[in-house]
Amino acid sequence: MLKQIEGSNAVAQAVALCRPEVISAYPITPQTHIVEDLSALVRQGKLGNCQFLNVESEFAAMSSVIGASAAGARAYTATASQGILFMAEAVYNAAGMNLPIVMTVGNRAIGAPINIWNDHSDSMAMANSGWLQLHAETNQEAVDLHIIAFKLAETISMPVMVCMDGFILTHAYERVDIPTQQQVDSFLPPFAPMQMLDPDDPVTMGAMVGPEAFMEVRYLMHQKHLQALDLLPRLVDEFETLFGRRSGEMVAPYRLEGAKTVVVAMGSVNGTIKDVVDDMRGEGAAIGAVKVGAFRPFPLSGLRYALSAAKRVVVIEKDLAPGLGGVFASNVRMALRGLPTPVYTVIAGLGGRTITKAALKETFARAMADEIEDPAFLGLKREIVEAELARMHEKPRSGPMAENILRQMGLVGYRL
Amino acid sequence: MTQRVKFYQTGTWTVGNRLLDAEKRTVQATTERRNALTSGHRACQGCGEALGARYAVDAALAAANGKVIAVNATGCLEVFSTPYPESSWQLPWLHSLFGNAPAVAAGVAAALKAKGRTGVRVIAQGGDGGTVDIGFGTLSGMFDRNDDVLYICYDNEAYMNTGVQRSSRTPAGARTATTPAVGPHPGNPPGQGKNPALIAVAHEIPYVATASVSDLHDLEDKVKKAMSISGARYIHIHVPCPLGWGARSCDTIKLARLAVQSGLFPLWEAQDGEITKVTPIRRPVPVSEYLKLQKRFRHVLKDEAMVAAIQDIAERNIRRFGLLGQGEE
Ligand SMILES: Cc1ncc(C[n+]2csc(CCOP(=O)(O)OP(=O)(O)O)c2C)c(N)n1
Ligand code: SF4
Ligand SMILES: [Mg+2]
């Protein structure tokens, strides 16, 4: 049914349609509305026997869904930012034990400086945890990805993170088609676990594994991701047959015909990018875009195929690896290894910095002339950076950087 | 609870099961005991934790008709029981991390409830470090929500698995790898540490008890009682560690008993926030009897003031819990 609703509300309804049996969560902006809605649905008795655990931390949230999943329940949690770091040890653990948990990440920056706005630092920090990572472009896709995620997770017995941009998606009111229970039930069968804690058939889970077999266990994790590379496109097709729309594509090309410059990005920024591509196409520029919908498994060959005709690639990424540059861009480069195609990294939108059409257009134009630094920082206020560098150069005890900068910008009125 | 028996063997107060009514005999003495932690594991000789775990889990299994799922924190018990590809556990068992066993168990309990698997019970277990230090937040959360889990802490008073470092259960004066007795430093400084069983009582959970591997009847009774209750329950078991304490393997039970009889490890029980039962000390012994069998206290024995300070701790326990009174029910 078409509804004009908030992204978090829509996702909560989608999760509810997947008939979770245990939900455990700890509040953090911008995830809160999702779990608030789910707790209400559980209390209203709309989720049958589903248990909602109000835990004392994200570490406990992930730990309790580990226990629930190991005991054979369909388990769900949601977090963001500091929360995903607080649960990091358990995030790795869930993947290591092949537990098909689904988690929403309302993508948000990581402090310090503390910041509640959107970028991809949080899910990126867990990129190599073994979790599959899907990224939504729109709230419709966020809804659909959750339904796909449960099926994907349970088919290969691996946990799946559904990433949606904090605020930009989680708090946006958009028109979203919420599927019917019947549709979801016909797509997603009840959870049939690969392993389960059961007194009638006791198993030991989480045993200590030394050098003699650890490599193999890890290799199998990699193998499962390779399996997902085949499975996800099939689920996308199946989903389309039943629901009448395509969601969850790992590589989604946009106006690639004849495109010499191709922009690659994940998440909601793809909407803005497509608008800019349209504008520039209208002005005769040979530009196109590719949305990457899965960061793990990373669609190396799909992306290589999509980018094979490009003369240059521009990666817009909401993440920074200090001392390296782009993480996403490095993965894109891996997809293109052996090819001479330059891959430009554009670090954008950190901590919620607005990514405007004008800034993108200007950046793409420079890239098309191969006159762009790598990595480039979209909208970086150079004068602020220079002033702070000068201040640090002047006195050894120049004070806390973030506060200095805010003061210089006149954003806080304090005196030292 | 326990039957009063006046027949003492060789100074140990153990009594032949033959002399007890059948229903008073221990689970360990029956042919149906499940050996939840079966032989072949890699614990040191005389490991109190291995003994305590088998006692407790067997008793839990007996109380729940064998329908128990166990969650284990990282630590000696986990490592010595499950070296891949072997496992000593005869029940469904899950190890996740060092500090999350209470939360994992809460999740298992929630899943059982969601699935309507009502006959199956959940226990979680860990060492003192996993329980009282790194896992204390998750334990408190489990108490707070009154999750249907029996948590058992095996307290050997240090991080044994990583080579005997100090925990918040390491007693005053004890030498560990991170509280060496060097120069004027007396091993673990007095005046530190915490009492998790009392903190559990402060959460007003349905059941809390302390137990010792030296008193099998009492330990089993407490586990059985805990299993007859639902909600969050906590049992703290004192388990000597020959390796970490520098004691003889054959002295494990003796040391556990001396800890109780000296007043250093009081045995008690609490329900819904009130202490309901205390096990009286039958034959009080000075703490030096306990200290002198352990290398971790060797330097302490040369320091009269320190021995006196430890004796004070014991006396305070005796006063506080009324350990010389009748104490029974
Ligand atoms: C997060 C984390 N920190 C540290 C460790 C290392 N570690 C493993 S077991 C252990 C000590 C266990 O001590 P305790 O819980 O008292 O159990 P014991 O081995 O004494 O039975 C430590 C420090 C770990 N596994 N995980
Ligand atoms: S070090 Fe101590 S606790 Fe660990 S196995 Fe040996 S005796 Fe048991
Ligand atoms: Mg210990």
Side-chain angles (χ1 to χ4, degrees), chain A residues 263-297:
Chain A
V263 183
V264 180
M266 290 194 295
S268 62
V269 74
N270 279 291
T272 320
I273 290 171
K274 284 182 208 170
D275 284 351
V276 176
V277 166
D278 288 345
D279 290 354
M280 292 177 80
R281 279 267 175 180
E283 292 158 16
I287 189 166
V290 170
K291 174 181 84 171
V292 172
F295 191 59
R296 290 291 181 269

Side-chain angles (χ1 to χ4, degrees), chain A residues 21-22 49 51 53-56 59-60 63-64 66-68 70-73 89-90 93 97 196-200 202-209 212-213, chain B residues 66-69 78-79 82-84 87 89-97 99-100 103-104 106-108 110-111 113-115 117 120 137-138 141 145 147:
Chain A
E21 291 161 304
V22 174
N49 228 1
Q51 302 293 305
L53 287 175
N54 276 300
V55 285
E56 73 286 352
F59 182 54
S63 298
S64 52
I66 285 173
E89 194 192 9
N93 193 254
M97 287 206 282
M196 193 172 124
L197 296 166
D198 178 5
D200 294 331
V203 288
T204 288
M205 290 176 67
M208 178 161 177
V209 176
E212 67 286 353
Chain B
K67 303 265 188 234
V68 177
I69 291 171
E78 166 261 328
V79 170
T82 59
Y84 175 89
S87 173
W89 296 101
Q90 305 298 300
L91 78 171
W93 182 95
L94 166 72
H95 160 251
S96 173
L97 297 166
N100 71 353
V104 174
V108 174
K113 206 166 167 192
K115 297 238 149 218
R117 289 163 71 194
V120 183
T138 55
R145 293 182 303 271
D147 294 316

Side-chain angles (χ1 to χ4, degrees), chain B residues 7-19:
Chain B
F7 183 89
Y8 295 162
Q9 292 180 338
T10 60
T12 65
W13 300 299
T14 43
V15 71
N17 264 291
R18 289 173 296 115
L19 300 173

Side-chain angles (χ1 to χ4, degrees), chain B residues 42-50 76-77 80 156 160-161 164 239-244:
Chain B
R42 315 285 211 272
C44 308
Q45 198 178 46
C47 173
E49 187 164 88
C76 266
L77 179 60
F80 72 59
N156 54 22
M160 296 313 176
N161 186 51
V164 200
V239 291
C241 162
L243 183 123

